[in-house]
Amino acid sequence: MVAGPLPTRSGPGKDRLRLWIRLLRASRTIETELRERLKKEFNTTLPRFDVMAALYRSPEGMLMSDLSRFLLVSNGNVTGIVDRLVSEGLVARARRNGDRRTSMVRLTEEGSKTFAVIAAAHEGWIGELLGTVSEDEARRLTGMLTSFRSNWEGRE
Amino acid sequence: MVAGPLPTRSGPGKDRLRLWIRLLRASRTIETELRERLKKEFNTTLPRFDVMAALYRSPEGMLMSDLSRFLLVSNGNVTGIVDRLVSEGLVARARRNGDRRTSMVRLTEEGSKTFAVIAAAHEGWIGELLGTVSEDEARRLTGMLTSFRSNWEGRE
DNA sequence: ATATGTTATTTCAAGCTTAAAGTTTCATAT
DNA sequence: ATATGAAACTTTAAGCTTGAAATAACATAT
């Protein structure tokens, strides 16, 4: 789903529109490839990988709302993905003493081991898929996107 | 769904991994905003907008497989979205004389008018959302992403 | 203590998405 | 003409995604 209207027209907003379309097509292309490999090699999905990646960074655990905010997806969405990870034994919900509305979500021992393996492959894939971008260019691109991001956060 | 594992680690693939995470976060952020506005202002969705945008570029119509290839999504996916657009009167399937397996999909008169209005708003939104990226920077970023894209297409 | 509002999470309905299987039509070789 | 395979599309099952409604627990003001 990456069309963008009238990319060949000219006008004031032309360059930004074109940038948006490229951005979207690039990320969709890579995402599709990653999804296929995760499925084929590890029988998992991109959303599950993303949740595990977030939890791997926080051994102490994360609240559902932390996950949702960090991953830029809705609350209800995270519930379903975590449910499936729990049923696979990769993630656990731990009730907290203080606030009984919340629960700390964290990787299980098995989840942590499993993720480490997948993450190593994932990093290799990214290196391969973005191989045509030089490391230097990657840094410059990242810089531009980062400044966009921080400006964005300032406004919203 | 935009985590990315261990973005703070260092190593050979570090810069490309970081780039990928930024790319994904940027496109998800913009996508979310566009989706909300399309829903609120025009009561439509991003996938429907994308299909209409593709058809708007081809007044003669497109095959389902053209749409699917152009939008980088699966065949079955397009079927459902076009079904809904047809039921809304914005798109029509026209049986062809030659090949009875295929049908040309095109915007109806109403679909074309409707899209023109939405597309104008959409272009304004992009200009606003990417407002912090200068036109010059936008061109450079686009160039880098384009070269990635064409290299990619060479391999797959 | 009780009411009122807020926060964290889940549930729900609708729609999007994919991969795989199924259908129909076309193309080609015998 | 008939079989065999390929192509275009749809259907299906499972999972992802959102926004909105529902639930439960907490916080605050009376």
Side-chain angles (χ1 to χ4, degrees):
Chain A
M1 275 309 142
V2 172
L6 303 172
T8 53
R9 203 167 36 60
S10 71
K14 190 190 76 164
D15 292 326
R16 295 200 183 95
L17 190 52
R18 207 189 289 278
L19 169 58
W20 166 236
I21 294 165
R22 299 281 185 216
L23 206 61
L24 198 44
R25 291 190 81 92
S27 60
R28 287 293 171 83
T29 301
I30 296 169
E31 242 181 322
T32 297
E33 189 67 25
L34 291 179
R35 195 183 308 114
E36 282 171 10
R37 295 187 187 199
L38 284 173
K39 178 66 178 176
K40 182 169 301 181
E41 308 280 336
F42 299 106
N43 194 38
T44 190
T45 67
L46 205 42
R48 285 173 218 197
F49 176 81
D50 285 340
V51 166
M52 294 181 78
L55 296 178
Y56 196 74
R57 298 156 35 108
S58 305
E60 70 284 8
M62 290 176 84
L63 300 180
M64 294 297 284
S65 41
D66 293 337
L67 272 171
S68 145
R69 196 167 20 253
F70 180 70
L71 298 173
L72 305 178
V73 299
S74 65
N75 276 343
N77 187 358
V78 178
T79 297
I81 296 163
V82 167
D83 283 352
R84 279 167 221 117
L85 287 170
V86 167
S87 78
E88 290 170 1
L90 301 173
V91 155
R93 284 182 170 98
R95 268 233 140 6
R96 291 204 299 169
N97 330 16
D99 189 331
R100 272 175 305 179
R101 291 170 301 182
T102 66
S103 55
M104 273 304 201
V105 181
R106 70 188 73 193
L107 290 178
T108 62
E109 190 74 22
E110 187 197 344
S112 190
K113 271 189 255 178
T114 299
F115 176 76
V117 174
I118 303 179
H122 176 270
E123 178 166 336
W125 296 340
I126 296 297
E128 175 194 340
L129 298 176
L130 293 182
T132 63
V133 180
S134 72
E135 289 276 314
D136 181 64
E137 208 170 32
R139 269 189 297 275
R140 284 197 297 142
L141 259 169
T142 301
M144 295 190 207
L145 292 171
T146 301
S147 72
F148 156 73
R149 177 76 191 152
S150 51
N151 282 328
W152 174 265
E153 279 171 342
R155 78 164 64 177
E156 182 58 354
Chain B
M1 275 308 146
V2 172
L6 303 172
T8 52
R9 201 168 36 60
S10 70
K14 190 190 77 164
D15 292 326
R16 294 200 184 93
L17 190 53
R18 207 190 289 278
L19 169 58
W20 165 237
I21 294 166
R22 298 281 185 216
L23 205 61
L24 198 45
R25 290 189 81 92
S27 60
R28 286 295 171 84
T29 301
I30 295 169
E31 241 181 322
T32 297
E33 189 67 25
L34 290 180
R35 195 183 308 113
E36 282 172 9
R37 294 187 187 199
L38 284 173
K39 179 65 179 175
K40 181 169 303 183
E41 308 279 337
F42 299 107
N43 195 35
T44 189
T45 68
L46 206 41
R48 287 175 215 196
F49 177 81
D50 286 340
V51 167
M52 294 181 79
L55 296 179
Y56 196 75
R57 297 157 35 108
S58 305
E60 70 283 9
M62 291 177 83
L63 300 180
M64 293 299 283
S65 43
D66 293 336
L67 271 172
S68 143
R69 196 167 23 253
F70 180 69
L71 297 174
L72 307 177
V73 298
S74 65
N75 276 344
N77 187 357
V78 178
T79 296
I81 296 164
V82 167
D83 284 350
R84 279 168 221 116
L85 286 170
V86 168
S87 78
E88 291 170 1
L90 301 173
V91 156
R93 285 183 170 97
R95 270 233 141 1
R96 289 205 299 169
N97 329 15
D99 189 333
R100 271 175 306 179
R101 291 170 300 180
T102 66
S103 54
M104 273 303 202
V105 182
R106 70 187 73 192
L107 290 180
T108 62
E109 191 74 22
E110 186 197 343
S112 191
K113 271 189 254 176
T114 300
F115 177 76
V117 174
I118 303 179
H122 175 269
E123 179 166 336
W125 296 339
I126 297 297
E128 174 194 341
L129 298 176
L130 293 182
T132 62
V133 180
S134 73
E135 289 277 313
D136 181 63
E137 208 171 31
R139 270 190 295 276
R140 285 196 294 143
L141 259 169
T142 301
M144 294 191 204
L145 291 171
T146 301
S147 71
F148 155 72
R149 176 76 191 154
S150 50
N151 282 327
W152 173 266
E153 278 169 344
R155 77 165 65 180
E156 182 58 358

